[in-house]
Amino acid sequence: MPTVKVGLELELEIIRIIYGGAGLARHEGCAIFVPFTIPGEKVRARITRLRPGWAQAKLLAVTRPSADRVEPPCPWFTRCGGCAYQHIAYPRQLTIKSAQVEEALRRIGKFAAPPVEPALPSPLDYGYRNRITVHIEPPDIGFRGTDPRQVVDLNRCLLAGHAVNAALTRLRAKRAWRPGPATLRANPEARGFRQVNDGAAEILAAVVVGMAGSGQVLVDAYCGSGFFAKKLRSSFTRVIGLDWDDQSIQAAGQDAEAHEDYRRGDTAELLPAALGPAATTVVLLDPPAQGLDPGVIDTLLRARPARLVYVSCDPATLARDLSRLASGYQLLRAAPVDMFPQTASIETACLLAASPN
Ligand SMILES: C[S@@+](CC[C@H](N)C(=O)[O-])C[C@H]1O[C@@H](n2cnc3c(N)ncnc32)[C@H](O)[C@@H]1O
């Protein structure tokens, strides 16, 4: 009979931090997840949820703190669902994130020795967001809590830049609130998809530009407003951007040069016709968190463009897709970029080269 049960208090040692932010410990063969911990720490925790083979626990006390433990600056930390790592010194957050990418590529992707590089830091580790989406549930305005049924009422977010927090102050001063989500932007005129952290986005773009190199045809699949395509247009004879969002495609088209072509529609449908000769085509893939449609993977394996650059915001779907591509592509680099300091999210840019047939 397992002795782990809801309400039980245990002394645990944290082994590592899993993707999503919780610390992993083990007790009598049961994996126990304790948020707001750091590898190597000893903690006292109470089991709150039990499932076959694993349990969740609430942190009660840190009995042996890590040297990387810091005081979280936000008064809402642990109640607000936005941040997971404010208690961890920033350099350690970076090593935790690259380890999580490596773990996903090994476990889900089945890569024996994934070529994961150290995570590149964001220039700002607070105050970096150019937009936030708050939830309005009168009388509360804020983010979903660690208990997602609750909205945590807050008057500023330490991850947001000044202009975004000023917009939050203006929203809170309004008398009539319409319940639901509200996106507050540093630049309210911006249309279509835009990266959230401008400084880290430039670092990611520099990595992507280096990986994409140059050639005849660049297909920027999931191009948004053309953030990457614009930086690469001088290196390719033709640039084709694909996105199903009308506003993004309109924004991308606004300053398009003669050799750029932005097409609205589903990538799975538009990709086959967009590809140029295999040997001189580079495909950039920046899908949402759910990753690539199987149809996109089939097209790539069939047409075998020379080089792929895959930008992902979810290591698990990235690892799944890379393993599906492994029959036709070799993974050369996986470069995590910390787009979202203090949170559990990770952005990773990967370079793949077509294997000889
Ligand atoms: C993570 S964003 C990347 C945007 C762009 N690469 C950038 O850096 O600004 C993903 C984009 O994929 C688009 N998208 C999502 N699913 C799509 C699909 N099935 N076909 C085409 N576009 C899609 C969204 O509209 C969004 O612009």
Side-chain angles (χ1 to χ4, degrees), residues 193 195 222-224 227-228 243-245 248 265-267 286-288:
F193 181 88
Q195 299 279 353
Y222 312 92
C223 66
F227 177 68
F228 296 121
D243 201 290
W244 65 12
D245 180 61
S248 295
D266 190 331
T267 293
D286 184 11

Side-chain angles (χ1 to χ4, degrees), residues 23-316:
L24 165 71
R26 289 198 186 279
H27 181 79
E28 294 179 354
C30 183
I32 302 177
F33 300 109
V34 195
F36 312 119
T37 56
I38 304 176
E41 286 189 329
K42 283 200 175 150
V43 302
R44 203 149 48 77
R46 186 188 305 119
I47 303 295
T48 52
R49 188 171 175 221
L50 189 59
R51 290 286 176 276
W54 62 273
Q56 279 174 351
K58 180 177 163 53
L59 178 66
L60 300 177
V62 181
T63 50
R64 188 180 72 193
S66 161
D68 292 318
R69 183 164 278 276
V70 295
E71 194 58 38
C74 174
W76 294 282
F77 182 61
T78 73
R79 276 187 296 138
C80 172
C83 287
Y85 294 151
Q86 283 192 19
H87 63 293
I88 308 177
Y90 189 51
R92 185 71 185 269
Q93 293 183 27
L94 297 172
T95 58
I96 287 171
K97 289 187 179 188
S98 18
Q100 289 170 346
V101 174
E102 186 169 344
E103 154 79 6
L105 292 180
R106 276 183 202 278
R107 194 173 46 83
I108 304 169
K110 308 288 177 222
F111 291 90
V116 179
E117 300 169 11
L120 294 170
S122 165
L124 295 175
D125 56 356
Y126 283 95
Y128 59 81
R129 289 195 69 109
N130 59 36
R131 68 176 141 91
I132 58 174
T133 297
V134 291
H135 298 275
I136 305 178
E137 276 185 22
D140 299 323
I141 296 187
F143 297 119
R144 292 250 164 251
T146 35
D147 174 352
R149 291 165 302 184
Q150 288 174 358
V151 168
V152 177
D153 187 53
L154 38 79
N155 55 22
R156 87 192 160 115
C157 170
L158 294 187
L159 302 192
H162 291 305
V164 176
N165 275 318
L168 177 58
T169 304
R170 284 195 297 276
L171 175 68
R172 293 184 67 90
K174 270 192 188 170
R175 287 223 190 101
W177 295 344
R178 194 153 12 109
T183 298
L184 306 171
R185 297 172 198 273
N187 174 4
E189 279 80 51
R191 289 282 164 268
F193 181 88
R194 180 170 168 205
Q195 299 279 353
V196 163
N197 175 345
D198 294 326
E202 288 305 319
I203 291 172
L204 175 64
V207 172
V208 165
V209 166
M211 288 179 171
S214 57
Q216 267 179 25
V217 180
L218 173 74
V219 179
D220 184 354
Y222 312 92
C223 66
S225 316
F227 177 68
F228 296 121
K230 304 287 169 188
K231 297 194 185 314
L232 280 159
R233 63 184 169 189
S234 58
S235 306
F236 287 83
T237 316
R238 274 197 87 195
V239 173
I240 300 171
L242 313 175
D243 201 290
W244 65 12
D245 180 61
D246 202 28
Q247 285 194 331
S248 295
I249 288 296
Q250 276 183 31
Q254 258 166 19
D255 71 339
E257 295 172 358
H259 70 301
E260 289 173 83
D261 178 7
Y262 294 94
R263 303 175 184 173
R264 183 169 56 81
D266 190 331
T267 293
E269 284 167 26
L270 300 184
L271 185 62
L275 295 172
T280 55
T281 297
V282 176
V283 179
L284 175 47
L285 303 147
D286 184 11
Q290 59 265 36
L292 299 177
D293 184 291
V296 171
I297 294 180
D298 287 347
T299 300
L300 294 169
L301 288 174
R302 228 176 303 123
R304 224 45 95 77
R307 209 169 327 136
L308 308 181
V309 179
Y310 187 153
V311 178
S312 159
C313 59
D314 185 321

Side-chain angles (χ1 to χ4, degrees), residues 319-339:
R320 177 203 67 198
D321 291 346
L322 294 184
S323 78
R324 289 177 179 167
L325 287 164
S327 63
Y329 284 90
Q330 199 193 347
L331 175 61
L332 301 181
R333 290 180 62 191
V337 176
D338 193 18
M339 193 68 85

